[in-house]
Amino acid sequence: MSISNFRADLGDIPVEDHPRIVQQRSRDHYWYSPVLKAKLDHVTAEVVVSPRSNEEVKRVLAAAFRHGVAITPRGAGTGNYGQAMPLSGGAMLNLMNMDKVLDIKKDRVRAQAGAVLEQIDHQTRAAVDGELRFHPSTYRMASIGGFIAGGSGGVGSVRWGGLRNLGSILGVKVITCEETPRELDLVGEDVLKVAHAYGTNGIIVEAEMPLTQAHDWVDMMVGFDDFIDACRFGGAVALQDGLLVKEVAPCAAPIPQDYFNRHKPYIRDGQSVVLLMVAPVAVDAMTLFIAHHKGEMLYRSDLASEEERRRLPPIYELAWNHTTLRALKVDPTITYLQTRYPTVAHVEKIISILGDELPMHIEVGRQDGVVMYGGLPLVRYTTEERLNEIIRIHEENGCTVFNPHRYTLEEGGMKRTDQKQLDFKREADPKGMLNPGKMIAWDDPDFDFNAGRAWLFDGLNPVSAA
Amino acid sequence: MSISNFRADLGDIPVEDHPRIVQQRSRDHYWYSPVLKAKLDHVTAEVVVSPRSNEEVKRVLAAAFRHGVAITPRGAGTGNYGQAMPLSGGAMLNLMNMDKVLDIKKDRVRAQAGAVLEQIDHQTRAAVDGELRFHPSTYRMASIGGFIAGGSGGVGSVRWGGLRNLGSILGVKVITCEETPRELDLVGEDVLKVAHAYGTNGIIVEAEMPLTQAHDWVDMMVGFDDFIDACRFGGAVALQDGLLVKEVAPCAAPIPQDYFNRHKPYIRDGQSVVLLMVAPVAVDAMTLFIAHHKGEMLYRSDLASEEERRRLPPIYELAWNHTTLRALKVDPTITYLQTRYPTVAHVEKIISILGDELPMHIEVGRQDGVVMYGGLPLVRYTTEERLNEIIRIHEENGCTVFNPHRYTLEEGGMKRTDQKQLDFKREADPKGMLNPGKMIAWDDPDFDFNAGRAWLFDGLNPVSAA
Ligand SMILES: Cc1cc2nc3c(=O)[nH]c(=O)nc-3n(C[C@H](O)[C@H](O)[C@H](O)COP(=O)(O)OP(=O)(O)OC[C@H]3O[C@@H](n4cnc5c(N)ncnc54)[C@H](O)[C@@H]3O)c2cc1C
Ligand SMILES: Cc1cc2nc3c(=O)[nH]c(=O)nc-3n(C[C@H](O)[C@H](O)[C@H](O)COP(=O)(O)OP(=O)(O)OC[C@H]3O[C@@H](n4cnc5c(N)ncnc54)[C@H](O)[C@@H]3O)c2cc1C
């Protein structure tokens, strides 16, 4: 690897090498996890390269290939599994200068990878009164490329499912890391080769996404004395086909009291809440439904004063991993898990075992057409052993855990090789220069996922040039 | 009852009394059922009154109340359970002169009861690029008032559920039949007092319905050698949250070959088909999904020639009760059932028992958020006894039947009193002048639904003035 030869090939493509700035840009939200924090704190790249066009991306990748420099793509760096941590140093590839919305049609939008999700919606609303079907709660910062490469779903998934569902991504343009990098247009199922692949097998430079009708979503916060009633209500809302909602998230006491600073005044002691985003057309019916379920309407943005609306963050910034973020801000020892509870009874069981060690946060969603309870419970962290025990308790009780304390694709996901992504890496990144250390299948094909130990990337040091 | 005194009170409200025309207007699609045909063939009103405003409706209802004249409201008369048959004679109340679209907003439309569904969509598309969430296959003829009073769901219900779901009807304006008729605005749950009440407890004069984004839906017909594969595919489509569809209807061979005249050339012998309406944004993904399920794309309207598109009816006019209609046109001995199959295994079981006596037609839909298989199977009719046996076979195998060979609300539905509708009738139609004989709970509170015999309206002759 020769960073200087690499740099020499870049021409006038902007490069940053100030160590403090490079270190800042070598970080994502890996520190959400005390486990990852301990493992990855020292990691940094040597330079940040910020191409401005597909041609410049090709030039960077050709240089990386030639000189054996590891490339870690980066959008806004809001990923929270250390996806964008440059385990082998090398160069960060900052995509945020490529942020143009390229084409808007009534039912789809095409944008460059670095376009920020909220900015995309801003333009599609103006042009065709459309918006993205769903977005992460990091809507105001995250890039579309980072979302596709590192995210899964979010606000809107209760209606539209997630990124991995057929039809959720219409197409991506990807650039390969080869002697002569190619532009590949992937559509249909082929999109899944690079979706949620952490940029290990191609750099996404453009994406085409479906749009749906935009709404002035009404934020609601509904109180319940009993958290299980809140969950039941949340599940029932998601089953109401006629009630158009974008977000349904039950949060158990004391999460709202302790961590939702600005909303605290609206919430009584001991109350659990359900966070909702409701289409204006469904507000009256929702109000009725809440009353039926004996919920207490604590807050409605459509009835709030100007001043309240200015003061309060949008409801979605209390949800998804923003719940965790708000807790972390108050109590740095907190961490979290990502789980799936098939039924409310599963939620109830886990709470009965773990109690306040695991303040419960549910995101009601659809999984292949079936309403289910996605969990992002907080964890009052003590040791890694205890964390693993909590995971085991989940698994023993029929609940799935996607471990967010792992930086590899496989360990955070389904614990097996994604053959399509591996095959595509062979084609698009034959030397393994792209985000090394994130795809176990590439580095260590024989790794046993059931042995109960975390994989450790051999290097956490520079890849050698082939 | 005095029709002449009644008429004298009507002023210049248009009244028709030519017996042949009145008889024509005293009919709906009751003849879909050989059972209803035998029972109701002789039924007719004496006059048809066609008010042009809410004030005129009030005048008609005041006169009916005063003179004890039965009133049967009528939209387009496409109901197929004899809902609009005037069992007690009297007057037909034709609402089709009240057909104005009153107000269009981005996400809702308010129209007079006699507005035809397709005409509403025509205007909402032009104004806000919106359309009704779902409509019966009689879209091009049926009125919004008749749909709410006599229908249940249809094309679009696979995504949005049916009329009875919370949020599907935003509000209705109803006129009561009293000495001084009142205008009542029902919203929220109160809408269910008159929805699917066959006009027995108030005349709907206006309705407000939610709109969704309009699409140039692509008609598809997909072939399968095995009907159960077709059902599995249909169910799987409905579970794909990312695939925006409006219609999913598997029809078993030989239905398409024998009854889909214009589409016949596209279908091979022995093939079952699935009828689909797909949003343009989902067409590519759907094509892929069809290939995965080894379906054969037989027809796609977006690839059809101008001439084909002109020649072929829209796919939705092969679906819902249009399947039955097309069969009846070819073979007048055919009739049908309305069923619900919880799983494909139930469909398979029923087919294994009844075979070609019951050519299967499924409408895949959502029932309170859960994908299920609504059945509108054809029946090769022999006798009423055998028909009842077929119903019994369904029930014994865990399948629900909504008997479409009954003209009462209860027998065609849940076989019990709808207390809300009954209470509202006491308030809105204290003398029982509105569509007499359709609500058993009103006429015969002690009727035993489990005795296994059909209820017979006492009169099928004029109601006496109170
Ligand atoms: C408070 C908080 C809340 C969150 N909520 C959600 C949520 O609701 N749903 C959700 O799915 N995620 C959520 N996340 C995770 C993350 O914010 C999102 O997935 C986000 O979309 C990532 O976008 P980004 O631009 O920040 O990507 P980055 O963090 O910069 O990158 C993410 C991954 O993609 C790779 N990558 C980035 N750009 C490209 C590219 N152009 N081509 C190839 N690879 C690329 C990176 O190498 C990295 O592996 C949350 C995170 C935080 C901190
Ligand atoms: C081929 C075919 C296909 C069909 N497909 C479907 C389908 O997919 N889904 C479905 O739900 N139905 C279906 N139907 C039934 C029917 O077409 C629909 O329910 C339709 O919406 C009825 O509208 P209409 O104007 O014809 O009502 P009508 O038949 O005129 O009336 C229906 C009922 O409502 C009452 N009524 C009418 N107007 C008012 C009013 N303003 N106030 C109070 N009461 C009133 C009548 O007395 C009657 O009881 C189908 C019927 C046929 C023949």
Side-chain angles (χ1 to χ4, degrees):
Chain A
M1 175 174 94
S2 160
I3 282 281
S4 52
N5 292 347
F6 168 73
R7 287 186 67 160
D9 280 3
L10 297 182
D12 68 346
I13 301 173
V15 176
E16 173 65 60
D17 59 7
H18 187 293
R20 207 151 45 83
I21 298 183
V22 173
Q23 201 196 30
Q24 271 171 16
R25 293 293 175 81
S26 298
R27 261 128 190 64
D28 59 11
H29 280 52
Y30 74 107
W31 48 267
Y32 260 49
S33 157
V35 180
L36 294 181
K37 184 156 170 46
K39 282 189 185 142
L40 303 183
D41 234 12
H42 67 287
V43 160
T44 187
E46 293 176 64
V47 292
V48 179
V49 188
S50 300
R52 294 156 299 190
S53 67
N54 295 354
E55 284 317 306
E56 291 192 351
V57 172
K58 283 188 206 166
R59 185 134 40 113
V60 177
L61 295 180
F65 183 85
R66 195 170 315 129
H67 304 292
V69 171
I71 293 283
T72 302
R74 187 181 200 267
T78 68
N80 49 302
Y81 319 134
Q83 300 107 303
M85 299 297 284
L87 304 188
S88 296
M92 296 303 295
L93 184 70
N94 166 32
L95 274 305
M96 297 306 273
N97 285 347
M98 294 174 58
D99 63 353
K100 276 189 273 306
V101 175
L102 301 170
D103 187 36
I104 301 175
K105 297 236 161 48
K106 168 185 164 159
D107 58 4
R108 64 196 80 191
V109 59
R110 192 170 183 91
Q112 286 189 302
V116 169
L117 297 167
E118 190 189 38
Q119 294 306 317
I120 295 176
D121 271 4
H122 195 74
Q123 292 191 43
T124 55
R125 276 174 173 260
V128 296
D129 197 27
E131 64 182 24
L132 295 166
R133 289 175 172 177
F134 52 84
H135 59 75
S137 62
T138 46
Y139 185 50
R140 304 211 246 185
M141 295 168 66
S143 70
I144 181 72
F147 185 40
I148 292 174
S152 51
V155 184
S157 288
V158 64
R159 188 140 195 108
W160 291 103
L163 281 170
R164 56 168 281 283
N165 286 125
L166 194 61
S168 293
I169 305 169
L170 298 177
V172 289
K173 191 189 280 297
V174 167
I175 297 184
T176 61
C177 187
E178 302 171 275
E179 182 160 3
T180 308
R182 291 170 293 156
E183 275 184 23
L184 301 178
D185 282 297
L186 306 181
V187 296
E189 230 172 355
D190 285 343
V191 165
L192 298 179
K193 293 175 178 171
V194 298
H196 205 84
Y198 294 177
T200 55
N201 58 7
I203 303 302
I204 301 168
V205 288
E206 293 175 17
E208 188 165 318
M209 304 293 283
L211 294 177
T212 182
Q213 190 174 27
H215 293 287
D216 293 327
W217 298 97
V218 175
D219 282 353
M220 292 185 184
M221 199 168 57
V222 183
F224 290 87
D225 289 334
D226 180 45
F227 178 65
I228 295 303
D229 287 342
C231 287
R232 283 211 190 87
F233 165 75
V237 165
L239 288 168
Q240 288 287 326
D241 303 306
L243 281 189
L244 186 56
V245 294
K246 190 163 181 173
E247 173 66 15
V248 182
C251 298
I255 293 175
Q257 291 81 1
D258 290 352
Y259 309 129
F260 295 171
N261 278 329
R262 306 266 174 96
H263 284 84
K264 209 181 295 189
Y266 300 83
I267 307 162
R268 274 191 290 108
D269 255 17
Q271 249 179 349
S272 293
V273 304
V274 180
L275 311 172
L276 295 173
M277 285 170 69
V278 183
V281 75
V283 164
D284 289 345
M286 180 62 86
T287 311
L288 201 75
F289 199 64
I290 290 168
H292 270 304
H293 279 258
K294 307 206 190 319
E296 183 182 350
M297 183 76 82
L298 304 176
Y299 174 74
R300 258 177 77 165
S301 63
D302 59 336
L303 301 182
S305 67
E306 274 287 321
E307 187 274 321
E308 277 176 301
R309 275 199 300 239
R310 245 196 329 271
R311 182 165 39 86
L312 298 169
I315 277 288
Y316 69 77
E317 286 188 356
L318 304 182
W320 293 89
N321 257 318
H322 269 82
T323 317
T324 322
L325 182 62
R326 286 176 192 283
L328 271 167
K329 278 187 182 164
V330 175
D331 177 356
T333 69
I334 286 266
T335 189
Y336 76 117
L337 278 179
Q338 264 179 250
T339 57
R340 185 175 299 151
Y341 305 106
T343 68
V344 173
H346 289 81
V347 178
E348 205 165 4
K349 184 71 196 282
I350 293 296
I351 291 177
S352 77
I353 301 173
L354 294 169
D356 189 57
E357 188 180 2
L358 194 94
M360 190 53 86
H361 161 205
I362 297 287
E363 293 288 339
V364 182
R366 276 182 201 265
Q367 174 71 19
D368 298 328
V370 176
V371 169
M372 55 87 211
Y373 302 83
L376 284 169
L378 302 181
V379 177
R380 299 195 195 278
Y381 184 74
T382 47
T383 64
E384 196 176 343
E385 290 65 49
R386 179 58 185 164
L387 186 62
N388 288 331
E389 211 164 293
I390 293 174
I391 293 175
R392 219 165 27 247
I393 290 171
H394 273 82
E395 289 170 345
E396 282 164 13
N397 283 282
C399 311
T400 313
V401 176
F402 307 93
N403 193 338
H405 305 280
R406 295 287 185 271
Y407 55 78
T408 63
L409 284 162
E410 292 92 338
E411 291 167 300
M414 289 318 226
K415 293 185 187 155
R416 54 177 152 73
T417 301
D418 183 325
Q419 196 57 45
K420 257 186 222 152
Q421 294 191 346
L422 177 61
D423 292 347
F424 191 64
K425 186 169 176 72
R426 293 202 177 106
E427 202 182 305
D429 179 28
K431 269 197 191 169
M433 305 316 302
L434 297 181
N435 208 352
K438 306 293 168 60
M439 191 193 278
I440 297 178
W442 177 266
D443 293 289
D444 188 357
D446 298 325
F447 181 72
D448 175 7
F449 293 107
N450 299 316
R453 64 188 171 88
W455 186 67
L456 192 70
F457 179 44
D458 207 17
L460 274 181
N461 55 36
V463 270
S464 53
Chain B
M1 175 175 95
S2 159
I3 282 281
S4 52
N5 291 349
F6 168 74
R7 289 187 65 160
D9 279 4
L10 297 184
D12 69 345
I13 301 173
V15 178
E16 172 67 58
D17 60 7
H18 187 293
R20 208 148 47 82
I21 297 180
V22 173
Q23 201 197 30
Q24 270 171 17
R25 294 292 175 84
S26 301
R27 259 129 191 66
D28 60 10
H29 281 50
Y30 75 107
W31 50 265
Y32 260 49
S33 156
V35 180
L36 294 180
K37 183 154 171 48
K39 281 187 184 144
L40 303 181
D41 234 10
H42 67 287
V43 160
T44 187
E46 291 175 68
V47 292
V48 179
V49 189
S50 300
R52 293 155 299 190
S53 68
N54 294 356
E55 284 317 305
E56 290 192 351
V57 171
K58 284 189 204 166
R59 180 127 51 107
V60 176
L61 294 181
F65 184 84
R66 196 170 315 129
H67 303 293
V69 172
I71 294 284
T72 302
R74 185 180 201 270
T78 67
N80 48 301
Y81 319 133
Q83 298 108 304
M85 299 297 285
L87 303 189
S88 296
M92 297 303 295
L93 183 70
N94 166 31
L95 274 303
M96 297 305 274
N97 284 348
M98 295 172 62
D99 64 352
K100 275 189 273 306
V101 175
L102 301 171
D103 188 35
I104 300 174
K105 297 235 161 48
K106 169 185 164 158
D107 59 4
R108 63 196 80 192
V109 59
R110 192 169 182 92
Q112 288 189 301
V116 169
L117 297 167
E118 190 189 37
Q119 294 305 316
I120 295 175
D121 271 3
H122 196 72
Q123 293 191 42
T124 55
R125 276 174 172 260
V128 296
D129 197 27
E131 62 182 25
L132 296 165
R133 289 174 171 179
F134 52 84
H135 60 74
S137 63
T138 46
Y139 185 51
R140 302 211 244 187
M141 296 168 65
S143 69
I144 182 71
F147 185 40
I148 292 174
S152 51
V155 184
S157 288
V158 65
R159 187 137 195 113
W160 291 103
L163 282 170
R164 57 169 280 284
N165 287 123
L166 194 61
S168 293
I169 305 170
L170 299 177
V172 289
K173 190 188 280 296
V174 166
I175 297 185
T176 62
C177 187
E178 302 173 276
E179 183 160 3
T180 309
R182 290 171 295 158
E183 273 183 24
L184 302 178
D185 281 298
L186 307 181
V187 296
E189 230 172 357
D190 286 344
V191 165
L192 296 180
K193 293 176 179 171
V194 298
H196 206 82
Y198 294 178
T200 55
N201 57 6
I203 303 302
I204 300 167
V205 289
E206 292 176 17
E208 189 164 318
M209 305 293 283
L211 294 177
T212 183
Q213 189 173 28
H215 292 287
D216 294 326
W217 298 98
V218 174
D219 284 352
M220 291 185 185
M221 199 166 59
V222 183
F224 290 87
D225 288 335
D226 179 45
F227 179 65
I228 296 303
D229 288 341
C231 287
R232 284 211 190 88
F233 166 76
V237 165
L239 288 167
Q240 287 288 324
D241 302 307
L243 279 189
L244 186 55
V245 293
K246 190 163 180 173
E247 171 67 15
V248 182
C251 299
I255 292 176
Q257 291 79 1
D258 289 355
Y259 309 130
F260 295 171
N261 278 328
R262 304 266 174 95
H263 285 83
K264 207 179 298 189
Y266 300 83
I267 309 162
R268 274 192 289 108
D269 254 18
Q271 248 178 347
S272 293
V273 304
V274 179
L275 310 172
L276 295 173
M277 284 169 71
V278 182
V281 76
V283 163
D284 288 346
M286 180 61 87
T287 310
L288 202 74
F289 200 65
I290 291 168
H292 270 306
H293 279 259
K294 306 205 190 324
E296 183 182 350
M297 183 76 81
L298 304 176
Y299 174 74
R300 258 178 78 165
S301 63
D302 59 337
L303 301 182
S305 66
E306 274 287 320
E307 186 276 320
E308 277 177 301
R309 275 201 300 240
R310 244 194 332 271
R311 182 164 40 86
L312 298 170
I315 276 287
Y316 69 75
E317 287 190 355
L318 303 182
W320 293 89
N321 257 318
H322 269 82
T323 316
T324 323
L325 181 63
R326 288 177 192 281
L328 271 167
K329 277 186 182 164
V330 175
D331 176 356
T333 69
I334 286 267
T335 189
Y336 77 117
L337 278 180
Q338 265 180 247
T339 58
R340 186 175 299 150
Y341 305 105
T343 67
V344 172
H346 289 81
V347 177
E348 206 165 2
K349 184 73 197 277
I350 293 295
I351 291 177
S352 78
I353 301 173
L354 293 168
D356 189 57
E357 188 179 3
L358 194 93
M360 190 54 85
H361 161 205
I362 297 286
E363 293 288 340
V364 181
R366 275 182 200 265
Q367 175 71 18
D368 298 327
V370 177
V371 169
M372 56 87 212
Y373 301 82
L376 284 168
L378 303 181
V379 179
R380 300 197 193 274
Y381 184 74
T382 46
T383 64
E384 197 175 344
E385 290 66 49
R386 178 58 186 165
L387 186 62
N388 288 331
E389 212 164 292
I390 292 173
I391 292 175
R392 221 166 23 248
I393 290 171
H394 273 81
E395 289 169 346
E396 282 164 12
N397 283 284
C399 311
T400 313
V401 177
F402 306 93
N403 193 339
H405 304 281
R406 296 287 185 270
Y407 55 78
T408 64
L409 285 162
E410 292 93 338
E411 293 167 300
M414 289 316 228
K415 293 186 187 153
R416 55 178 150 74
T417 300
D418 183 326
Q419 196 58 43
K420 258 187 221 149
Q421 293 193 346
L422 177 62
D423 293 346
F424 191 66
K425 186 171 176 73
R426 292 202 178 104
E427 203 183 302
D429 180 26
K431 267 196 189 170
M433 306 314 302
L434 296 180
N435 208 352
K438 305 291 168 59
M439 190 193 278
I440 297 178
W442 176 267
D443 294 288
D444 188 355
D446 300 324
F447 181 71
D448 175 8
F449 293 108
N450 300 316
R453 65 191 169 83
W455 187 67
L456 193 67
F457 180 45
D458 208 18
L460 275 182
N461 54 36
V463 272
S464 52

